[in-house]
Amino acid sequence: MKYDRIYNFSAGPSMLPEPVLEEIAAEVLNYRGSGMSVMEMSHRSEVFKTIAQEAEADLRELMNIPDNYKVLFIQGGATLQFAMIPMNLMKNGVADYIVSGSWSKKAYTEAKKYGKINLVATSEDRNYSYIPDCSDLPISPDADYVYICENETIHGTTYQQLPNTKGKVLVADQSSMFLSKPCNVSDYGMIYGGVQKNVGPAGMAIVIIREDLIRTDDLDPRIPVYMRYDTHANNDSMYNTPNCWCIYVCGKVFKYLKSIGGLEEMARRNEEKAKVLYDFLDSSKMFKGTVEKEYRSLTNVPFGTESKEKDAEVVKATKAAGFDNLKGHKSVGGLRASIYNAMPKEGVEALVAFLKEYEAQHQ
Ligand SMILES: *Cc1c(COP(=O)(O)O)cnc(C)c1O
């Protein structure tokens, strides 16, 4: 690989497209004649305003975001949203949560501080290796929203079909699948994601929220001003100093995605890439995927051998061979390959070739 970069299979922060990094490198000392880098620039400057506006416009185009949705850039990662969502969206004080893994569980636990939170489905019984059936859930008549984590980064599961919310607003954490494939925004009341998984540097979430869900005067006055969606919506995400650098890099990634043909093309590439790895896991005697086939994630692929000791040896061997961050999350064990947008197909092919060879030598 050019620049001696390695294939980084980290679940996040993770790889960024090389052409994007090259552009950033070229602009880091003097951004387009401004005489400074984006890191040093006032967020109120015309130069930065253009960067932020273009980022939003490009994202709107990529995802085909309807005009009645706001796009917000909010700091605090995805985790801050676990609290902002119940604080801002609960009018009746009731919400329904589907817990399909560690991230939805965290969101559920946080939300419980703010109201009556119903667990309407869970896949905890089999260590979150599948997505529960969501076709006929006991949705609460007074639920303000139904919450899902659409792609569970740690467990490697994804929804093939959105839950039947029986008319209630759907809120989805898309952190680890954001922009990995086309998405019909109007199926949701709100979509959000921490960007460091599939889009940019860490430290920010992108929130796409239907305007009528953004409340103003009937909110609990004790909610910190930063944690109100109307604060961000009314100030073009610049109520205070935003994460300028992150917005800038995300904006570059949006332009890059547009240049390769948008989310349809990205999905095609991701499917092709994931197939290489899943086909191998399905044919291997030593390695097995941990997720029920139907619910396999396009971006996070947990797998392992039949023993912890072997798993640890394989992780060590992959690292020595230039494949980094393949150790699985402690709650699942084994290995996990995160193969986000910026992971080239060659990276997955090289990993599979390595694992095949490893298997042949260790039978
Ligand atoms: C990583 C992750 C989070 C947490 O993101 P932070 O930006 O670290 O707060 C939340 N949800 C999902 C699905 C994730 O993958």
Side-chain angles (χ1 to χ4, degrees), residues 126-145:
R126 294 204 296 279
N127 197 27
Y128 303 120
S129 58
Y130 68 101
I131 299 287
D133 178 2
C134 298
S135 55
D136 186 18
L137 298 169
I139 300 291
S140 316
D142 49 354
D144 290 308
Y145 61 90

Side-chain angles (χ1 to χ4, degrees), residues 96 98 104 146-150 159 162-163 170-173 188 192:
D96 289 350
I98 299 166
S104 43
V146 176
Y147 182 98
I148 60 169
C149 173
E150 201 170 334
Y159 283 76
L162 291 177
L170 180 65
V171 174
D173 175 356
Y188 307 77
Y192 77 98

Side-chain angles (χ1 to χ4, degrees), residues 88-138:
N88 283 270
L89 300 188
M90 282 201 300
K91 276 187 179 172
N92 302 330
V94 180
D96 289 350
Y97 275 63
I98 299 166
V99 171
S100 57
S102 306
W103 289 115
S104 43
K105 181 141 197 199
K106 278 195 169 161
Y108 166 70
T109 306
E110 185 77 344
K112 282 207 283 191
K113 295 177 187 168
Y114 302 101
K116 184 169 178 318
I117 306 300
N118 303 304
L119 180 64
V120 290
T122 173
S123 51
E124 194 168 12
D125 60 335
R126 294 204 296 279
N127 197 27
Y128 303 120
S129 58
Y130 68 101
I131 299 287
D133 178 2
C134 298
S135 55
D136 186 18
L137 298 169

Side-chain angles (χ1 to χ4, degrees), residues 11 76-80 82 103-104 147 149-154 173-176 192-197 202-205 300 340:
T79 301
L80 192 70
F82 296 169
W103 289 115
S104 43
Y147 182 98
C149 173
E150 201 170 334
N151 185 81
E152 285 282 1
T153 321
I154 292 173
D173 175 356
Q174 287 196 348
S175 297
S176 48
Y192 77 98
V195 294
Q196 76 277 23
K197 305 292 164 67
M204 194 178 82
N300 307 100
Y340 296 123

